[in-house]
Amino acid sequence: MSRGRFVVLEGIEGAGKSTHAAFLAGWLRQQGIGVVAAREPGGTALGERLREILLDPEVTGMPPLAELLLMFAARSASLEEVILPALDEGLWVICDRFVDSSYAYQSHGRGVPRKYVEALEEQVLGGLRPDLTILLDTPVRVGLSRKADPQGGDRFERESREFFERVRAGYLERAALGGDGYRLVDASKSLEEVQTDLKDAVRPLVP
Ligand code: Z5A
């Protein structure tokens, strides 16, 4: 049995990752492909508990390095329990966020030295890299307007516009350096247009 494919959707808040991850999984199933959905942080018992802490606005003053370590703790559980078993079974994994979120948010956004993220990536992921990372790129103004929350939102959603500008710049840098394994999709277009672009991005991987 051949190994499954690993596809990651990335982007700032409100870019449409959750919406399009569900669309992509549905479209692939229509092509007869077995798909497992994953998300970070989360997707396992440990990951969901860590997600609660990471998103809780009442958790204040979390050191950026602690935030990075918790993201990788959740990622380690997701790899062991969800991603690697699915790939070994020949299934595709569609993951809503992965390691590029750590580069974009913790390194570019929070200022954690990039070498820390690189070291954790090496230790936790070993040789595993996504077959394809799709960056859903949208201006911060557009993303935030889609997620406006009168209650103030979670711990990340309360961050400043400048923070999300740094995160977006981090993603664009990753995509520019990443070569063949990345596709940039303009996520400010209509849902239908974005979905057409997503299918075009993934089609070369479909057997
Ligand atoms: N985080 C981190 O810091 N480091 C890490 O390593 C990892 C994560 C893995 C939780 O992630 C937080 O964790 C996240 C980064 C941090 N915080 N932030 N920001 P999350 O993925 O759960 O949170 P999120 O980015 O806020 O995701 P989201 O709220 O689920 O946004 P989304 O998935 O990109 O958007 P959506 O829910 O699919 O769409 C939002 C709305 O826009 C919805 O009503 C859609 O119908 C609409 N939409 C989407 N696309 C379109 C288009 N094209 N046109 C019109 N309307 C659209």
Side-chain angles (χ1 to χ4, degrees):
M1 182 198 311
S2 62
R3 195 171 162 83
R5 298 291 198 166
F6 183 24
V7 177
V8 173
L9 295 183
E10 291 279 8
I12 59 164
E13 140 146 8
K17 299 171 299 299
S18 314
T19 306
H20 295 305
F23 163 79
L24 206 49
W27 180 72
L28 287 165
R29 289 185 184 115
Q30 284 171 9
Q31 318 301 308
I33 292 171
V35 179
V36 167
R39 72 164 177 174
E40 292 201 356
T44 65
L46 175 65
E48 291 298 327
R49 293 282 288 277
L50 292 174
R51 180 183 178 88
E52 281 172 27
I53 297 169
L54 283 160
L55 299 193
D56 185 350
E58 291 183 9
V59 177
T60 55
M62 184 184 295
L65 184 56
E67 189 177 86
L68 176 71
L69 293 168
L70 292 180
M71 291 295 177
F72 268 94
R75 183 162 299 134
S76 170
S78 181
L79 276 170
E80 291 293 321
E81 295 177 34
V82 181
I83 297 173
L84 294 174
L87 294 175
D88 285 345
E89 271 185 58
L91 301 170
W92 283 46
V93 176
I94 306 296
C95 197
D96 184 342
R97 296 190 180 280
F98 194 56
V99 72
D100 282 300
S101 286
S102 297
Y103 282 101
Y105 283 79
Q106 279 67 55
S107 185
H108 285 262
R110 302 269 198 231
V112 175
R114 185 209 307 246
K115 64 183 177 189
Y116 294 175
V117 188
E118 287 169 348
L120 285 164
E121 181 180 23
E122 200 53 44
Q123 292 303 316
V124 176
L125 269 58
L128 181 79
R129 296 293 178 273
D131 293 293
L132 178 65
T133 298
I134 300 172
L135 173 56
L136 292 165
D137 180 55
T138 183
V140 171
R141 168 181 53 80
V142 175
L144 295 187
S145 72
R146 290 179 184 160
K147 296 289 297 184
D149 178 352
Q151 308 298 324
D154 65 34
R155 206 171 61 82
F156 286 93
E157 288 165 358
R158 290 164 190 239
E159 285 298 336
S160 65
R161 171 103 176 242
E162 292 69 33
F163 173 80
F164 287 108
E165 293 289 359
R166 291 198 297 279
V167 170
R168 182 187 183 205
Y171 273 130
L172 289 169
E173 185 183 300
R174 297 280 303 163
L177 295 173
D180 285 351
Y182 284 79
R183 280 291 294 271
L184 189 66
V185 167
D186 179 355
S188 61
K189 296 199 284 191
S190 73
L191 282 173
E192 294 73 20
E193 288 172 306
V194 174
Q195 288 169 358
T196 299
D197 290 347
L198 285 177
K199 286 188 281 186
D200 288 346
V202 168
R203 208 172 268 117
L205 297 179
V206 175

